[in-house]
């Protein structure tokens, strides 16, 4: 594969210097070139008002007040003597934090890109009349960033970082270190495309110490937005040491795959030594900067023992005539970066940089002409960053969302700011966390006893999945107790006593009490229905001693409970037969189905007495069969001993008779014969997509990329039809790679509509109390709200796309099991697609198409549904990927695959069938029906 790469002028490097200043993501960058200021957040801290704001004169960017981003601190205007006419409005007021050790701004919905420029600005201006500028610390999330040490009241201090934000929010925190009251003037956040500044990774951020524009003559002429679409601040370096200026009025471009995208306005000017035989020197020592910002400005430098990233920008601005040669080298502390030197390109930017940080106590950097050069060296711009580690892990993001929702609902103040558990010393009062190396801390106990809580019990408590103790006693909570609390796997103590709760104890909790896994305290709730309803009187304290119950007794209790539940259910099933049809459908809905109806006897013939099992689900088995005309079919028979799935069965039958699409599995007929219910489908000989993704790793027969793309597009079309082609739209609710089936031509069809629901935004029926779906695929927003939407399917489909790209399962069983989305995000944040692509594709893919699919998948799996595309958009994007791949000349690998795959099915069919069964059984512990058809031996 030969992409049209620019001339690789940075190729040669010393052994200690790994250069990565060029990359090959031309297409994405081109798409990115249509900049707008979407995604910019510009906050004027301390500006009064909840809403409103103003347009900044110089940049035309909108600044908003900070009330939406923080709920602590007080507003102040700086003292009038420090206000100057030319000063931007955002410097005129501050928010200061007299209370609390840590105060944080929370910036949400950061989903467009994982990498951001974060800029905080400070002008003390004697706002408090104490004439005593403070010193305090800044953190990005849970990672230390800078110490702000303000020495003069009139100084304008700027702190800037480039950081990867793994979540869809980021916090900027000011920490009081006992040397004065922290304050802030303004806060800017600018998204950067993820491929830019590859030295900024999940593990390290870049803290700006210098960003120099060489050659302007006006010392105030800071280049920023809109000249720089990312709104970096390029500070002019004027007339230093008598350098001569070179400039052009022409546009200076950068290559599409340039990793730094320096704007033309910066590259258009350069300097050279006045004496052509000298060099350009820049020196600085650890903790200082070679930069002299415009009068009044200061960049914050204070990081102890910094490590540096140096990025130098060059562009030839003169047409070289005849034998003139400009050839440069960069020498740092007497070590040349490029043995042969390098030449520049006319009106194109080129970059020299290091990827691994330097760690010296002082730096003597020079740009020199090589021996072959006839012209003096030049330089157009330079950036110097110190590196800061961002390896501290914040609290598990689901816990953070849940506890934040709880904080908001009950207006909890305390010290509830920043990350709940990290750093340990600043963890939130009344919470206990567990810390394990290598994984995010979890919240294990919440004690909001006697905290003046009113209103009902927040459903967010049920999202604290690691919580063991939950104490809400002695408050004014009203409403009923959510049954979903019984789903908290680790919960052992739940204290709700001393509230105003009503209703009865929900059955799930009763069960947990009875099996001894929960100590529920609910005394002193006058309106709560206990003994007269479903609770044995006064058992709560007795059950609290469950630990002491001998194991044998426990087994007896559990068996009795199980027996009781079983009896209750069988009784219910009797009545269910009468009410099996959904509301408004009347008795004979199955008979009204258009498809062919089979008797049980006919099914026996078709399946040769149910001889060969293709797969298994919670409802029973799927059998192989042949119709009279020889058509092969799959027969899904509801086991009549199972009371589960009758509703799902009927739902699926009804849906499948109503909808038809080439990418949805089609139903040939059904059977409703006494107790027996069955659905007859077209036969999908190549089984589930999951087997193909998984089988690849073990058996060497691997789906080539072009097939994966096609399968992705076809499944997307199937889902799009459910969402758009059906009225009201249908939500599948269980999209996953085991529910995408492949026929002999490897065409994809969506299967298993047992959980599908009609969705009507005006209709509240969709909201249910049971979360359905499969772990690893469930939309977090649905999990929070219990309200599935078409975007929940989009989320699950995004997970399937990631499986296709990576060949990995939705949940990776590593030392600490990790969700595929997190796994991919972490790797892509480093700009490295190779680190995620399924190695079994042997690089036979167009890298741009793979990037694009990964990009679509990450958009689909955005935390917040509004940021996810619709299936219609996904289909269009995937079509573009196929076009890209075709342009790349793709289809070569397909025939090979069909051949090797046939071999594989014949040899391995037994193993594969076993693996489906095991897989489905595991799933069915968690959910209702699953349909699978395994590959066939023909
Ligand atoms: C700051 O000054 C503006 C107008 O100059 C005024 O509206 C605002 O109330 C002042 N804020 C404070 C906290 O004094
Ligand atoms: C702040 O900077 C001043 C010099 O500018 C220095 O003397 C002082 O020690 C610094 N304070 C802290 C806490 O770093
Ligand atoms: C230019 O620099 C060289 C070497 O540093 C020196 O020998 C020469 O005298 C300088 N020329 C002028 C005109 O300053
Ligand atoms: C940098 O140059 C200065 C002055 O020429 C010298 O004192 C210092 O040792 C040099 N530093 C390094 C690391 O080479
Ligand atoms: C919660 O805190 C209260 C007092 O702050 C204490 O009495 C109670 O035991 C705590 N609950 C748990 C479960 O630790
Ligand atoms: C219950 O909470 C109130 C404040 O909300 C407190 O004054 C009282 O002491 C608490 N009672 C107990 C028993 O903890």
């Amino acid at each position: 594969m030969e992409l049209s790469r620019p001339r690789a002028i940075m190729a040669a490097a010393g052994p200690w210097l790994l250069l990565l200043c060029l990359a090959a993501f031309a297409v994405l960058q081109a798409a990115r070139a249509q900049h707008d200021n979407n995604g910019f957040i510009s906050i004027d801290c301390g500006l009064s008002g909840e809403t409103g704001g103003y347009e900044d004169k110089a940049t035309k960017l909108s600044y908003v007040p900070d009330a939406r981003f923080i709920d602590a601190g007080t507003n102040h205007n700086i003292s009038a003597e420090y206000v100057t006419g030319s000063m931007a409005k955002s410097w005129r007021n501050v928010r200061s934090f007299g209370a609390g050790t840590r105060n944080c701004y929370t910036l949400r919905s950061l989903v467009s890109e994982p990498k951001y420029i974060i800029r905080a600005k400070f002008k003390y201006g004697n706002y408090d009349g104490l004439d005593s500028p403070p010193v305090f610390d800044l953190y990005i999330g849970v990672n230390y960033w800078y110490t702000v040490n303000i020495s003069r009241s009139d100084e304008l201090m700027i702190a800037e970082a480039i950081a990867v934000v793994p979540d869809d929010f980021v916090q900027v925190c000011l920490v009081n270190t006992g040397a004065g009251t922290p304050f802030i003037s303004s806060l800017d956040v600018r998204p950067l495309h993820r491929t830019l500044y590859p030295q900024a990774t999940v593990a390290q951020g870049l803290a700006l110490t210098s960003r120099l524009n060489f050659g302007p003559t006006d010392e105030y002429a800071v280049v920023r937005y809109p000249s720089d679409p990312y709104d970096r601040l390029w500070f002019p370096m004027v007339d230093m040491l008598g350098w001569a200026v070179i400039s052009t009025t022409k546009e200076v471009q950068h290559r599409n795959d340039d990793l730094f995208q320096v704007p033309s306005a910066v590259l258009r000017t350069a300097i050279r030594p006045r004496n052509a035989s000298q060099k350009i020197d820049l020196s600085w020592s650890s903790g200082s900067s070679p930069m002299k910002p415009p009068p009044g400005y200061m960049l914050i430098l204070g990081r102890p023992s910094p490590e540096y990233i140096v990025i130098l920008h060059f562009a030839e601005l003169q047409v070289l005539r005849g034998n003139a040669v400009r050839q440069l080298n960069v020498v740092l502390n007497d070590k040349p970066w490029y043995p042969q030197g390098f030449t520049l390109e006319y009106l194109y930017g080129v970059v020299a940089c290091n990827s691994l940080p330097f760690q010296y106590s002082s730096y003597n950097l020079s740009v020199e002409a090589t021996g072959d050069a006839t012209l003096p060296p030049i330089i157009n711009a330079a950036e110097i960053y110190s590196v800061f580690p961002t390896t501290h892990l914040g609290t598990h993001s689901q816990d953070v969302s849940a506890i934040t929702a709880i904080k908001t609902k009950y207006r909890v103040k305390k010290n509830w700011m920043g990350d709940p558990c990290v750093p340990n010393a600043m963890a939130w009062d009344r919470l206990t966390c567990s810390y394990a190396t290598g994984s995010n801390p979890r919240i294990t106990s919440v004690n909001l006893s006697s905290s003046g809580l009113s209103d009902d019990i927040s459903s967010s408590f049920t999202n604290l999945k690691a919580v063991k103790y939950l104490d809400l006693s002695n408050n004014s909570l009203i409403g009923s107790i959510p049954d979903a609390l019984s789903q908290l796997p680790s919960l052992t103590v739940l204290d709700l006593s001393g509230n105003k709760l009503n209703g009865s104890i929900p059955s799930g909790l009763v069960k947990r009490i009875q099996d001894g896994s929960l100590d529920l305290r609910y005394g002193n709730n006058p309106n709560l229905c206990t003994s007269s309803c479903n609770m044995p009187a006064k058992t709560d304290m007795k059950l609290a001693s469950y630990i002491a119950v001998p194991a044998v007794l426990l087994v007896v209790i559990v068996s009795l409970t199980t027996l009781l539940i079983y009896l209750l259910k069988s009784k219910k099933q009797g009545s269910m037969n009468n009410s099996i049809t959904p509301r408004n459908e009347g008795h004979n809905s199955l008979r009204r189905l258009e498809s062919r109806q089979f008797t049980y006897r006919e099914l026996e013939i078709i399946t040769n007495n149910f001889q060969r099992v293709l797969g298994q689900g919670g409802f029973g088995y799927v059998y192989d069969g042949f119709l009279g005309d020889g058509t092969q079919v799959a027969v899904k028979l509801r086991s009549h001993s199972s009371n589960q799935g009758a509703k799902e069965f009927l739902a699926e039958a009804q849906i499948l008779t109503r909808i038809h699409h080439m990418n949805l599995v089609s139903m040939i007929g059904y059977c409703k014969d006494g107790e027996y219910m069955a659905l007859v489908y077209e036969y999908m000989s190549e089984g589930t997509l999951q087997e193909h993704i998984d089988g690849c790793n073990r058996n060497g027969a691997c789906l080539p990329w072009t097939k994966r793309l096609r399968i992705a597009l076809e499944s997307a079309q199937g889902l799009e039809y459910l969402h758009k082609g059906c009225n009201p739209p249908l939500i599948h609710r269980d999209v996953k790679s085991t529910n995408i089936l492949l026929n002999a031509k490897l065409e994809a069809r969506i299967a298993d509509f047992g959980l599908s629901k009609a969705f009507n935004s005006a209709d509240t029926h969709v909201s249910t109390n049971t979360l359905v779906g499969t772990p690893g695929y469930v939309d977090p927003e649905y999990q929070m709200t219990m309200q599935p939407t078409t975007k929940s399917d989009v989320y699950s489909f995004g997970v399937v796309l990631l499986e296709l790209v990576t060949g990995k399962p939705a949940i990776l069983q590593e030392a600490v099991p990790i969700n595929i989305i997190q796994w991919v995000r972490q790797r892509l944040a480093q700009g490295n697609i190779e680190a995620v692509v399924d190695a079994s594709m042997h690089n036979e893919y167009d890298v741009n198409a793979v990037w694009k699919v990964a990009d679509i998948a990450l958009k689909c799996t955005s935390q917040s549904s509004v940021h996810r595309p619709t299936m219609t958009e996904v289909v269009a994007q995937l079509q573009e990927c196929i076009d890209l791949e075709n342009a790349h000349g793709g289809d070569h690998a397909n025939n090979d695959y069909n051949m090797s795959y046939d071999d594989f099915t014949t040899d391995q069919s037994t193993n594969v069938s076993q693996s489906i069964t095991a897989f489905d059984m595991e799933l069915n512990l968690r959910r209702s029906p699953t349909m699978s058809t395994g590959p066939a031996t023909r």
Side-chain angles (χ1 to χ4, degrees):
M1 180 190 79
E2 186 57 61
L3 283 173
S4 57
R5 281 170 196 271
R7 200 154 50 92
I9 60 141
M10 296 291 110
W16 45 275
L17 183 75
L18 177 65
L19 279 165
L20 36 64
C21 308
L22 293 170
F25 309 129
V27 173
L28 278 179
Q29 295 299 337
R32 176 71 201 178
Q34 312 142 7
H35 295 291
D36 53 27
N37 61 12
N38 269 354
F40 279 23
I41 303 175
S42 312
I43 302 171
D44 183 344
C45 306
L47 182 67
S48 52
E50 291 277 326
T51 57
Y54 58 87
E55 185 177 85
D56 178 64
K57 279 204 193 100
T59 57
K60 308 281 183 243
L61 292 171
S62 298
Y63 274 76
V64 296
D66 58 354
R68 280 196 290 134
F69 305 93
I70 193 153
D71 57 4
T74 50
N75 294 349
H76 302 274
N77 287 329
I78 62 168
S79 157
E81 61 189 298
Y82 295 105
V83 177
T84 64
S86 60
M87 191 171 80
K89 188 165 157 47
S90 64
W91 295 107
R92 295 182 190 203
N93 40 259
V94 303
R95 183 178 288 265
S96 76
F97 303 97
T101 305
R102 174 173 61 173
N103 286 280
C104 301
Y105 281 83
T106 306
L107 307 158
R108 290 178 207 289
S109 303
L110 306 181
V111 287
S112 55
E113 297 296 342
K115 208 172 267 184
Y116 290 86
I117 294 178
I118 298 171
R119 182 160 54 224
K121 292 186 262 183
F122 310 87
K123 175 166 179 144
Y124 171 65
N126 197 20
Y127 75 88
D128 53 2
L130 300 175
D131 239 332
S132 164
V135 180
F136 54 90
D137 285 349
L138 286 180
Y139 280 70
I140 294 179
V142 296
N143 292 290
Y144 169 76
W145 175 19
Y146 271 131
T147 296
V148 181
N149 182 348
I150 295 172
S151 49
R152 296 200 337 243
S153 295
D154 64 341
E155 241 163 38
L156 306 176
M157 294 285 258
I158 299 176
E160 194 187 294
I162 296 177
V164 169
V165 174
D167 297 308
D168 63 356
F169 68 93
V170 66
Q171 294 193 312
V172 175
C173 302
L174 294 86
V175 174
N176 189 329
T177 52
T181 301
F183 75 92
I184 182 168
S185 303
S186 66
L187 187 58
D188 295 340
V189 177
R190 315 288 184 232
L192 277 180
H193 192 270
R194 70 166 102 72
T195 54
L196 299 185
Y197 293 91
Q199 296 98 331
T201 65
V202 168
Q204 74 182 19
L206 304 179
L208 183 67
T209 66
S210 305
R211 190 181 289 121
L212 308 169
N213 178 15
F214 294 102
T217 48
D218 176 356
E219 61 181 358
Y220 287 97
V222 176
V223 173
R224 60 178 297 189
Y225 185 84
S227 300
D228 186 331
Y230 299 106
D231 194 27
R232 286 164 289 191
L233 304 183
W234 296 89
F235 295 100
M237 278 291 261
V238 177
D239 197 25
M240 232 174 91
L241 308 175
W243 290 334
V245 170
I246 304 176
S247 66
T248 179
T249 51
K250 297 201 168 69
E251 188 77 4
V252 183
Q253 301 180 47
H254 46 71
R255 298 288 181 180
N256 278 340
D257 56 358
D258 184 293
L259 293 172
F260 304 97
Q261 312 240 332
V262 180
S264 179
V266 169
L267 291 179
R268 199 178 273 161
T269 57
I271 52 160
R272 66 168 179 80
R274 286 203 186 278
N275 180 338
S277 52
Q278 285 178 341
K279 45 194 187 162
I280 300 170
D281 291 310
L282 281 178
S283 300
W284 71 97
S285 58
S286 180
S288 76
S289 163
M291 168 168 165
K292 290 205 189 80
Y297 279 91
M298 288 292 288
L299 275 188
I300 296 174
L301 304 169
R303 284 194 62 82
S305 62
E307 302 177 30
Y308 285 101
I309 294 286
V310 179
I311 306 164
L312 306 175
H313 304 284
F314 305 92
E316 181 58 73
L317 304 180
Q318 297 175 323
V319 182
L320 305 189
R321 311 218 179 263
N323 295 328
V325 175
R326 174 133 38 219
Q327 195 177 43
L328 314 181
N329 210 336
V330 175
V331 178
L332 177 69
N333 291 352
D334 298 329
K335 293 190 189 89
W337 283 15
Y338 307 100
Q340 313 302 321
F342 59 90
T343 55
L344 304 186
E345 261 191 285
Y346 181 55
L347 299 185
Y348 267 98
V350 298
V351 183
C353 65
N354 57 320
S355 69
L356 299 173
F358 298 124
Q359 201 168 6
Y360 303 115
S361 58
S362 70
Y363 295 78
N364 293 330
L365 182 95
S366 56
V367 180
E368 325 181 335
T370 65
D372 295 340
T374 62
L375 294 171
I378 65 169
I379 185 168
N380 305 58
E383 294 169 84
I384 302 171
Y385 296 91
S386 62
V387 164
F388 63 104
T390 54
T391 41
H392 288 114
L393 291 176
T395 306
H396 192 279
S397 63
Q398 194 185 4
D399 287 359
V400 175
S401 327
I403 200 76
T404 305
I406 290 163
K407 171 188 156 176
T408 309
K409 178 173 174 116
Y410 300 112
R411 299 190 177 82
V412 180
K413 287 278 190 275
K414 309 189 192 293
N415 71 337
W416 285 27
M417 268 283 182
D419 189 274
C421 303
V422 185
N424 206 330
M426 288 182 237
W428 293 5
D429 289 344
R430 307 290 205 114
L431 298 189
T432 314
C433 304
S434 66
Y435 301 86
T437 40
S439 65
N440 303 80
R442 301 296 308 242
I443 297 173
T444 53
S445 89
V446 178
N447 187 346
L448 289 174
S449 154
S450 310
S451 298
L453 313 186
S454 52
D455 210 341
D456 56 358
I457 296 180
S458 166
S459 62
S460 298
F461 285 113
T462 62
N463 290 323
L464 292 168
K465 297 293 185 207
V467 81
K468 295 184 181 132
Y469 304 96
L470 185 53
D471 188 345
L472 304 177
S473 62
N474 190 27
N475 286 296
S476 307
L477 295 168
I478 56 170
S480 56
I481 302 174
D483 194 19
L485 287 170
S486 67
Q487 300 302 312
L488 290 175
S490 312
L491 188 65
T492 52
V493 177
L494 174 58
D495 194 340
L496 301 174
S497 56
N499 281 290
K500 298 172 183 159
L501 297 166
N502 59 29
S504 54
I505 311 287
S507 59
L509 287 173
V510 171
K511 226 179 268 171
R512 291 281 305 269
I513 296 167
Q514 285 169 343
D515 71 18
S517 65
L518 178 68
D519 171 6
L520 175 68
R521 300 167 193 174
Y522 53 83
N524 203 4
N525 277 285
N527 301 326
L528 195 65
C529 196
T530 51
S531 48
S532 60
C533 306
N534 56 0
M535 280 298 294
K538 303 269 174 246
T539 52
D540 52 346
M541 288 300 137
K542 250 182 270 162
L543 285 163
S545 60
Y546 70 92
I547 296 168
V549 175
V552 176
L553 190 55
L554 230 155
V555 170
V556 172
I557 293 175
V558 170
S559 325
L560 284 177
T561 316
T562 318
L563 184 65
L564 190 73
I565 292 169
Y566 174 78
L567 288 175
L568 277 174
K569 281 194 173 166
S570 350
K571 207 168 158 195
K572 232 193 219 156
Q573 198 196 4
S575 61
M576 218 163 171
N577 283 340
N578 301 330
S579 59
I580 209 161
T581 49
R583 250 162 280 157
N584 309 328
E585 284 288 339
H587 253 20
N588 298 323
S589 59
L590 262 185
R591 237 171 259 144
R592 284 197 268 109
L593 302 180
E594 284 168 2
S595 328
R596 181 167 162 195
Q597 187 170 7
F598 296 94
T599 62
Y600 185 70
R601 176 69 200 130
E602 282 172 312
L603 290 186
E604 284 179 334
I605 295 167
I606 289 170
T607 59
N608 195 10
N609 260 324
F610 302 102
Q611 204 172 39
R612 206 172 86 80
V613 174
L614 295 172
Q616 186 190 10
F619 47 82
Y621 291 96
V622 178
Y623 298 93
D624 189 15
F626 290 90
L627 299 182
D629 65 0
T631 310
Q632 195 168 7
V633 292
V635 177
K636 175 167 153 181
L637 179 68
R638 188 175 79 89
S639 146
H640 61 271
S641 68
S642 147
N643 64 336
Q644 271 189 355
K647 216 167 75 197
E648 288 84 356
F649 226 83
L650 198 71
E652 175 161 19
Q654 283 171 331
I655 286 167
L656 284 178
T657 43
R658 205 147 58 75
I659 59 177
H660 300 281
H661 186 270
M662 60 184 290
N663 300 121
L664 303 179
V665 78
S666 62
M667 188 173 83
I668 291 166
Y670 65 94
C671 160
K672 168 97 175 72
D673 187 349
E675 287 281 285
Y676 298 107
M677 292 177 78
L679 299 176
V680 181
Y681 304 92
E682 67 174 316
Y683 184 75
M684 300 294 284
S685 64
E686 298 305 326
T688 72
L689 174 58
Q690 194 266 339
E691 293 156 37
H692 287 251
I693 293 173
D694 193 33
C696 179
N697 300 336
R698 289 193 311 253
N699 298 291
C702 302
L703 273 179
W705 174 241
T706 48
K707 283 280 179 222
R708 296 184 196 213
L709 263 180
R710 175 98 5 232
I711 289 167
L713 177 67
E714 287 167 353
S715 337
Q717 284 166 343
L719 285 174
E720 192 214 3
Y721 175 77
L722 293 180
H723 294 176
K724 276 281 149 52
C726 303
N727 189 14
L730 274 176
I731 314 172
H732 186 281
R733 297 211 297 174
D734 199 17
V735 175
K736 57 179 175 180
S737 53
T738 41
N739 279 341
I740 294 172
L741 303 182
L742 303 175
N743 68 10
K745 289 192 247 162
L746 289 171
E747 290 164 342
R749 312 261 155 106
I750 306 275
D752 196 346
F753 298 87
L755 299 174
S756 303
K757 286 266 185 223
F759 173 72
N760 186 339
S761 49
D763 181 8
T764 50
H765 279 120
V766 185
S767 180
T768 66
N769 286 324
T770 4
L771 184 79
V772 300
T774 303
Y777 294 89
V778 182
D779 170 13
E781 201 172 275
Y782 164 43
Q783 235 163 346
M784 300 269 286
T785 60
M786 300 303 277
Q787 189 97 37
T789 65
T790 51
K791 292 288 183 74
S792 318
D793 283 351
V794 173
Y795 181 92
S796 311
F797 183 72
V799 176
V800 173
L801 283 182
L802 292 178
E803 290 178 78
L804 281 168
V805 168
T806 62
K808 302 258 185 284
I811 296 174
L812 278 71
Q813 296 302 331
E814 313 220 313
V816 178
I818 176 170
N819 180 303
I820 193 170
I821 303 167
Q822 210 67 17
W823 188 86
V824 169
R825 272 188 205 280
Q826 283 170 3
R827 278 160 185 76
L828 288 190
Q830 299 167 18
N832 186 0
I833 189 81
E834 274 80 18
V836 307
V837 176
D838 191 345
S840 71
M841 294 195 288
H842 305 298
N843 291 322
E844 290 183 342
Y845 50 80
D846 177 79
V847 75
N848 295 310
V850 176
W851 257 117
K852 198 164 153 76
V853 173
D855 199 47
I856 299 167
L858 292 182
K859 289 202 172 87
C860 290
T861 53
S862 295
Q863 285 284 311
S864 155
S865 61
V866 295
H867 296 293
R868 295 177 207 150
T870 62
M871 281 318 297
T872 312
E873 286 159 351
V874 171
V875 166
Q877 295 278 309
L878 287 172
Q879 185 60 56
E880 280 176 29
C881 295
I882 288 184
D883 296 344
L884 265 181
E885 189 64 46
N886 288 345
H888 167 57
D891 266 331
H892 44 80
N894 297 358
N895 297 335
D896 296 355
Y897 178 67
N898 278 342
M899 272 159 95
S900 60
Y901 194 80
D902 277 345
D903 298 340
F904 157 66
T905 34
T906 339
D907 294 348
Q908 306 289 338
S909 55
T910 328
N911 288 344
V912 172
S913 298
Q914 275 164 3
S915 76
I916 304 168
T917 312
F919 190 80
D920 273 355
M921 274 162 59
E922 192 187 310
L923 284 179
N924 284 314
L925 296 174
R926 292 290 302 258
R927 49 140 299 174
S928 2
T930 296
M931 183 217 158
S932 294
T933 56
T937 14
R938 265 152 288 178

